[in-house]
Amino acid sequence: MKRQEIIEFIKEIGVLQEGHFKLTSGLHSKQYMQCAKVFEQPKNAEKLVTALKKSLPSNIDTVIAPAIGGICMGYELAHTLGSRFIFAERQNGQMTLRRGFKLSRGERVLIAEDVVTTGGSVKEVLEIAREAGCDLIGVTALVDRSNGSVDFGIPFYPLLKIEVAAYQPKECPLCQQGMAVDKPGSR
Ligand code: ZN
């Protein structure tokens, strides 16, 4: 899928919404992204992850994802790649492997996330895999919203890079047009 096709598709399925939004940061934006909606219809997730697969290295032993955001993404990707899937989660604030999940030395690991903004959770998962002696193949995500500000130190394979412009309410062009503001997180 070409970039424009991906954008049209995620608009169609309600992932990328256009309007006038108040983000959790307090900033206003013309766009709002609800990535969880990709996985509402597994067929949609399959379509996007299949497109992503083409740009990924092969022979991945294990896909590992940070909970919660990365779980559906990592599972769908592991299914597509025919690899194992595990996830890490926070316990007392610390990202950790629970539920009997283990990593082995030399295992070829790909880290999966739905949306990368600051990359904080991904970096913590990366550290877990590094400490286990894994072969760190790369990081992948459906959407990279970092504006190029994140460096994982290993290859990064996002399906889509997107920059969402955000404004201070006082400087928001949509407020100036008198357009009503929507707070998407509250619905
Ligand atoms: Zn506004």
Side-chain angles (χ1 to χ4, degrees):
M1 288 171 93
K2 293 197 181 73
R3 177 185 163 81
Q4 202 50 43
E5 283 177 83
I6 295 169
I7 289 176
E8 289 306 319
F9 182 62
I10 66 173
K11 279 183 186 170
E12 193 184 304
I13 64 176
V15 172
L16 183 60
Q17 301 168 22
E18 297 193 318
H20 181 196
F21 304 101
K22 183 179 180 184
L23 308 177
T24 45
S25 61
L27 298 177
H28 288 196
S29 176
K30 292 178 182 179
Q31 290 182 316
Y32 179 73
M33 192 169 274
Q34 181 48 270
C35 219
K37 281 188 81 73
V38 168
F39 304 96
E40 188 175 1
Q41 296 291 349
K43 284 269 176 241
N44 293 337
E46 183 182 18
K47 182 170 171 173
L48 291 172
V49 167
T50 301
L52 173 62
K53 182 188 175 186
K54 295 187 176 82
S55 65
L56 297 177
S58 55
N59 300 319
I60 301 296
D61 295 318
T62 298
V63 173
I64 177 169
I68 295 174
I71 292 182
C72 289
M73 167 59 185
Y75 178 85
E76 183 63 31
L77 184 61
H79 191 192
T80 301
L81 296 174
S83 65
R84 187 169 80 101
F85 171 68
I86 63 174
F87 61 88
E89 60 201 297
R90 275 184 211 288
Q91 187 176 27
N92 304 322
Q94 178 85 19
M95 195 64 87
T96 181
L97 291 180
R98 300 177 68 189
R99 306 170 197 270
F101 292 147
K102 286 192 170 53
L103 288 167
S104 313
R105 186 160 293 279
E107 198 171 341
R108 287 172 57 85
V109 165
L110 183 67
I111 296 149
E113 177 64 295
D114 58 349
V115 184
V116 166
T117 311
T118 63
S121 300
V122 167
K123 285 178 186 170
E124 289 177 70
V125 172
L126 225 153
E127 211 40 55
I128 292 171
R130 182 173 283 132
E131 279 173 20
C134 296
D135 191 358
L136 303 171
I137 303 305
V139 174
T140 187
L142 281 181
V143 180
D144 174 13
R145 293 184 56 180
S146 72
N147 293 344
S149 66
V150 173
D151 181 9
F152 295 116
I154 57 173
F156 182 29
Y157 308 97
L159 177 65
L160 181 69
K161 289 186 190 195
I162 197 158
E163 292 180 22
V164 177
Y167 311 96
Q168 293 293 342
K170 273 183 281 183
E171 291 156 12
C172 175
L174 300 172
C175 282
Q176 284 162 18
Q177 288 167 25
M179 188 176 175
V181 68
D182 194 356
K183 202 176 169 202
S186 60
R187 280 177 299 174

